[in-house]
């Protein structure tokens, strides 16, 4: 065997080396130089193998893992990573990014800007028309109509809060004689002329502007021309025009046809940004019956619209908002007397005012007295003093 041969060769080499030393170096070794070289290489190999084996046994004896064990190989694989110098640029693979996120962010920003601008524009329009001042003025000077005034202001606030609309706004106020329709029209005209261009507010009185029934065609053409001119001017100034039309019950059917044509939604934009206010005593019979039965105008709109639709199809248009005016109670008539006497310079004696109020005729329902003619006769009675 190789091991035995190696040992015998080593022994023979040692023996020859001893013989050579004994003979004083005069004799020659019996081994060839090639064999001696092979023996030296093998000796170095065996020495290295013994050192590696001894170090391995020491690690195993200390309780550590064998270098070839599965856990050691896993830990080596887990810890293996590529280290780069600090001054080396590392290029990592780019992750695929969805193209939806930027568009979603842009959409949110656009919506936010539009909502913010809408709120700012809403505030600007409401402040421009000074509707708070108008509301205070109406409540202080128009008696006995809190429900109608609240409904009127709600429609104006909603419509005037923006400039672009899908259809014009037509507020049709109806009530019996003496409840304050004409007075309300004058207050609206005075206010809107003070906040917008005076030429953009038209106060049309049927008895004054079209006194003759046989001139209906001429009145209709003049009214249409006036509306077109004012609306065109308002469009140039980016404002909303106002048309307050009183005594609508006296208008010929041709004028009502013209007004209905301007209330259609299939018009150019400038004719959609208009406010019409109709003041009429049409439907007063239905309103009076409803108030005497319910002590309020709430719920009278449907009954009123049915009656008005039989008179003219103008009141069937979606743009028309009906606002019934209630009957005036006795206390409201007393307020009318006090105000009129103050304006005329009379001392407002309450006992004297109550005596004048008792001279009027009243409806009695649910323990309340409603003046049949409202404040219509107040001015005449005060002038007789």
């Amino acid at each position: 065997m190789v091991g035995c041969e190696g040992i015998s060769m080593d022994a023979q080499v040692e023996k020859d080396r001893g013989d050579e030393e004994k003979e004083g170096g005069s004799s020659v070794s019996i081994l060839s130089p090639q064999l001696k070289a092979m023996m030296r290489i093998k000796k170095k190999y065996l020495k290295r193998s013994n050192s590696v084996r001894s170090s391995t046994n020491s690690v195993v004896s200390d309780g550590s893992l064998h270098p070839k064990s599965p856990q050691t190989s896993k830990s080596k694989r887990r810890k293996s990573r590529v280290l780069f110098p600090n001054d080396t640029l590392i290029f990592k693979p780019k992750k695929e990014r969805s193209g939806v996120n930027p568009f979603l962010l842009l959409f949110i920003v656009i919506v936010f800007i539009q909502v913010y601008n809408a709120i700012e524009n809403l505030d600007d329009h409401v402040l421009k028309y000074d509707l708070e001042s108008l509301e205070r003025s109406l409540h202080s000077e128009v008696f006995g109509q809190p429900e109608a005034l609240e409904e009127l202001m709600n429609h104006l606030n909603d419509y005037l809060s923006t400039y672009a609309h899908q259809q014009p706004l037509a507020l049709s106020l109806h009530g019996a004689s003496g409840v304050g329709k004409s007075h309300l029209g004058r207050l609206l005209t005075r206010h809107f002329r003070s906040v917008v261009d005076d030429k953009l507010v038209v106060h049309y009185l049927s008895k004054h502007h079209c006194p003759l029934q046989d001139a209906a065609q001429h009145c209709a053409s003049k009214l249409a021309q006036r509306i077109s001119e004012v609306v065109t001017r308002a469009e140039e100034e980016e404002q909303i025009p106002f048309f307050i039309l009183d005594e609508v019950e006296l208008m010929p059917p041709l004028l009502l046809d013209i007004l209905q044509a301007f209330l259609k939604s299939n018009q150019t934009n400038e004719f959609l940004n208009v406010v019409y206010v109709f003041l009429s005593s049409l439907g007063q019979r239905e309103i009076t019956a409803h108030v005497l039965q319910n002590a309020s105008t709430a719920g009278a709109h449907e009954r009123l619209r049915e009656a008005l639709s039989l008179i003219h199809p103008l009141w069937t248009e979606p743009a028309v908002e009906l606002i019934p005016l209630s009957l005036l109670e006795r206390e409201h008539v007393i307020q009318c007397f006090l105000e009129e006497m103050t304006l005329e310079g009379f001392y407002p004696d309450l006992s004297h005012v109550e005596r004048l109020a008792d001279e009027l005729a009243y409806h009695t329902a649910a323990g309340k007295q409603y003046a049949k003619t409202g404040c219509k006769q107040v001015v005449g009675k005060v002038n007789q003093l």
Side-chain angles (χ1 to χ4, degrees), residues 4 7 11 41 48 105 108 110 115 119 130 139 148 164 176 184 216 224-225 265 267 299 301 310 316 320 377 379 384:
C4 296
I7 296 172
I41 293 172
R48 179 176 294 180
L105 180 60
I108 294 174
I110 293 175
V115 171
I119 294 174
D130 195 12
H139 280 285
L184 179 59
Q225 182 180 359
S265 58
Q267 304 181 84
H301 300 73
L310 299 177
T316 62
V320 177
Q377 301 178 14
V379 177
Q384 294 175 1

Side-chain angles (χ1 to χ4, degrees), residues 228-300:
S228 300
E229 291 175 354
V230 173
V231 169
T232 303
R233 183 185 182 93
E235 178 69 13
E236 294 174 355
E237 299 182 9
E238 295 185 355
Q239 294 185 358
I240 295 178
F242 297 86
F243 295 90
I244 294 92
L245 302 102
D246 199 359
E247 302 169 342
V248 177
E249 69 276 5
L250 301 178
M251 283 187 175
L254 283 177
L255 268 73
L256 297 179
D257 294 339
I258 292 297
L259 293 175
Q260 183 183 7
F262 281 111
L263 296 181
K264 299 292 184 180
S265 58
N266 57 348
Q267 304 181 84
T268 55
N269 293 333
E270 63 268 20
F271 289 95
L272 301 179
N273 303 319
V274 185
V275 175
Y276 299 92
V277 179
F278 303 144
L279 302 169
S280 170
S281 61
L282 297 173
Q284 60 177 323
R285 183 182 303 175
E286 288 74 17
I287 296 174
T288 300
H290 186 87
V291 172
L292 294 178
Q293 184 179 359
N294 302 278
S296 172
T297 57

Side-chain angles (χ1 to χ4, degrees), residues 28-97:
V28 180
S29 174
I30 61 174
L31 297 177
S32 63
Q34 292 82 3
L35 183 58
K36 290 180 181 181
M38 291 176 62
M39 291 175 65
R40 286 196 301 271
I41 293 172
K42 184 177 181 181
K43 191 174 183 179
K44 290 180 180 179
Y45 173 77
L46 292 176
K47 186 176 181 181
R48 179 176 294 180
S49 299
N50 292 333
S51 64
V52 173
R53 191 178 297 111
S54 61
S55 63
T56 303
N57 292 334
S58 63
V59 173
V60 173
S61 62
D62 291 340
S64 58
L65 297 175
H66 193 274
K68 294 184 179 181
S69 62
Q71 295 183 2
T72 306
S73 60
K74 287 183 180 180
S75 63
K76 288 183 177 181
R77 285 196 301 270
R78 188 181 299 113
K79 293 180 181 180
S80 61
R81 60 181 180 176
V82 179
L83 298 178
F84 297 90
N86 294 332
D87 56 349
T88 304
L89 296 177
I90 303 175
F91 297 94
K92 297 181 178 180
K94 294 183 178 180
K95 296 181 179 180
E96 295 183 359
R97 297 179 61 185

